[in-house]
Amino acid sequence: MDTIAAIATPLGEGGISIIRVSGTSAIDVANKLSNIDLNQIPARKMTLGYVVNKGKKLDQVLWVVMPGPKSYTGEDVVEIHCHGGLKVSELVLEAVIEAGARLAEPGEFSKRAFLNGKIDLAQAEAIIDVIRARTDTSLRVAFRALEGELSETIEEIRDKLLKILATLEASIDYPDDVDEPDVDDLQNQMIKMHEDIDALIASFIKGKSLREGYLVAIVGRPNVGKSSLLNQLAKEERAIVTDIPGTTRDVVEVEINVSGVSVIFADTAGLRETDDPVESIGVGKSREYVKKSDLCLWVIDSSEPLTDEDYRIAELLKDKSVLILLNKQDKPSKVDATDLATLNLESKLLPISLTEGTGVNEFMLELEKQIGFSGYETMEEVLVTRVRHKKALEKARMSLEYAIENVASAPLDLLTVDLRQAYSALGEITGHVVTEDILDRIFEEFCLGK
Ligand SMILES: Nc1nc2c(ncn2[C@@H]2O[C@H](COP(=O)(O)OP(=O)(O)O)[C@@H](O)[C@H]2O)c(=O)[nH]1
Ligand SMILES: [Mg+2]
């Protein structure tokens, strides 16, 4: 394949910067710029030298030559470790391009690693998850996927499917020599596979929040204590708290690790009808956050009776998962259980006083229960973290369901059609079955130089 190059380290000032070159002529291209013969230096060891361009020394560097197939991409790879400055890495990259390499597209190194069979598609996706992980738990999950845990689980199911297919096909092709397979046995095997796939699909709820993080919108009327709640969670004054309704106009986001899950808490403008143009934009944003959030914390001022605004909020939150915080418990309560029942929300109610700090621990425990993720280290469960994987599993499950339903009545060759579909749907996850545009979409998300 043609030779590609990119800066593999983040752009900025640092100790070193690595320019990575990969492709059929990687060593030849790099050799044009090296003061030492890169064909003669020991493979996969660092050798001190210079990058020399048009007779001028550009930088003192460490050269590393990794001949394929024992390299990240499976092709010949050269790494140039130069000083970690913006200009110097830029000039070295330019020199490499002038010497005959092409600038790599985002994720192109990893794409080549996939195309050359160094990693499967689920592992390639795990690489980007390792890089993007924000908490120890999400890092563990991504790393286990990179080590091939998910791929192995999928391959095991595919192997079983293949065995069944082979048995069925043998009895279709050689009806005189091979007995018809036992229907009960076939059905049991398929039911077991169906259960395994079901469990994987069910793990997506947890897997998704671990990989993508979680968005919690703090909503409610003005002046109920939303910003006070955000500050309490952030353990610092992140949002302005005053007794003037309409203080918060823009959304203030704080990221917090809630037992392994990276959670963004968004403090929003109080929901009310307003003539103030700035505040009204803020209220519009609050509504958007409600829509895109995974959980809403609805703060209610229990020292004031419910208003029409509260009923409008209840309407807005109707299809969301909601925790209701009855704040200002230090003051005499004007809201009772009967009032709250009229809101028609089946949400958990938590009494709290943000100024006194009462109820805060109970609230944190409830939050951890709803979104937290502890004990992953010791867990055997393989997690599905990507929509792409979940969709493929659902496709496989559907084909398997057809097969299970029809196993007793349908002709054998019809059964093989369903099973083959399940087999190929699962193959999409590991990349055994993949189209060019799916590949492009996956590697587009990567950073340059990876
Ligand atoms: N008495 C009492 N006042 C509170 C409590 N929580 C917040 N407040 C006060 O309520 C007012 C509005 O708080 P703020 O957090 O700005 O509310 P927001 O408009 O919903 O963001 C401020 O004066 C807070 O000090 C509480 O638990 N008890
Ligand atoms: Mg506020």
Side-chain angles (χ1 to χ4, degrees), residues 220-229 231 240-248 267-268 270 299 301 303 327-331 352-357:
R221 261 166 39 205
N223 229 25
V224 291
K226 298 180 296 300
S227 299
S228 305
L229 176 64
N231 291 342
I240 301 170
V241 171
T242 71
D243 54 5
I244 306 161
T247 301
T248 308
D267 176 26
T268 63
V299 186
D301 181 347
S303 68
N327 191 31
K328 309 201 185 180
Q329 291 293 317
D330 50 290
K331 293 203 207 163
I352 194 169
S353 163
L354 286 164
T355 44
E356 309 275 304

Side-chain angles (χ1 to χ4, degrees), residues 29-49:
V29 165
N31 232 352
K32 291 188 198 163
L33 303 168
S34 172
N35 68 321
I36 48 174
D37 185 356
L38 299 180
N39 287 302
Q40 302 300 324
I41 65 171
R44 278 172 280 280
K45 293 216 163 70
M46 291 182 158
T47 309
L48 188 65

Side-chain angles (χ1 to χ4, degrees), residues 12 21 30 201:
V21 192
I201 294 173

Side-chain angles (χ1 to χ4, degrees), residues 94-107:
E94 266 172 36
V96 174
I97 304 283
E98 275 168 31
R102 155 175 81 71
L103 191 65
E105 284 161 26

Side-chain angles (χ1 to χ4, degrees), residues 304-446:
E304 301 273 340
L306 295 179
T307 66
D308 289 349
E309 205 62 71
D310 288 310
Y311 288 93
R312 277 197 282 272
I313 295 173
E315 184 60 25
L316 184 69
L317 299 181
K318 174 163 97 242
D319 298 319
K320 304 292 300 186
S321 77
V322 181
L323 260 184
I324 298 180
L325 296 178
L326 294 173
N327 191 31
K328 309 201 185 180
Q329 291 293 317
D330 50 290
K331 293 203 207 163
S333 178
K334 296 252 177 68
V335 186
D336 64 20
T338 345
D339 302 332
L340 290 163
T342 60
L343 292 172
N344 260 334
L345 281 181
E346 285 168 26
S347 316
K348 189 146 188 154
L349 296 171
L350 294 165
I352 194 169
S353 163
L354 286 164
T355 44
E356 309 275 304
T358 46
V360 174
N361 287 344
E362 288 76 3
F363 159 63
M364 282 313 288
L365 285 175
E366 181 58 32
L367 208 56
E368 280 172 22
K369 204 165 94 192
Q370 294 222 359
I371 57 186
F373 206 93
S374 51
Y376 180 71
E377 276 304 314
T378 50
M379 227 169 62
E380 298 283 317
E381 190 185 353
V382 171
L383 288 183
V384 171
T385 61
R386 286 183 176 259
V387 180
R388 192 183 78 80
H389 300 172
K390 179 175 161 257
K391 281 194 177 150
L393 284 161
E394 283 168 347
K395 242 198 282 182
R397 178 171 67 180
M398 181 123 86
S399 303
L400 209 53
E401 276 164 11
Y402 287 138
I404 293 171
E405 254 173 55
N406 299 325
V407 66
S409 55
L412 289 186
D413 52 349
L414 225 69
L415 217 53
T416 63
V417 172
D418 289 329
L419 293 178
R420 217 183 289 281
Q421 264 166 8
Y423 182 75
S424 98
L426 294 176
E428 288 174 19
I429 297 174
T430 42
H432 285 91
V433 184
V434 74
T435 58
E436 190 61 33
D437 60 313
I438 291 181
L439 275 191
D440 288 346
R441 228 176 305 140
I442 289 172
F443 290 103
E444 250 166 31
E445 291 188 51
F446 278 59

Side-chain angles (χ1 to χ4, degrees), residues 17 34 65 80 94 107 115 141 147 152 182 192 246 316 335 379 414:
S17 183
S34 172
V65 174
I80 311 169
E94 266 172 36
L115 292 173
V141 172
E147 292 277 283
E152 276 165 31
D182 179 63
K192 175 76 185 67
L316 184 69
V335 186
M379 227 169 62
L414 225 69

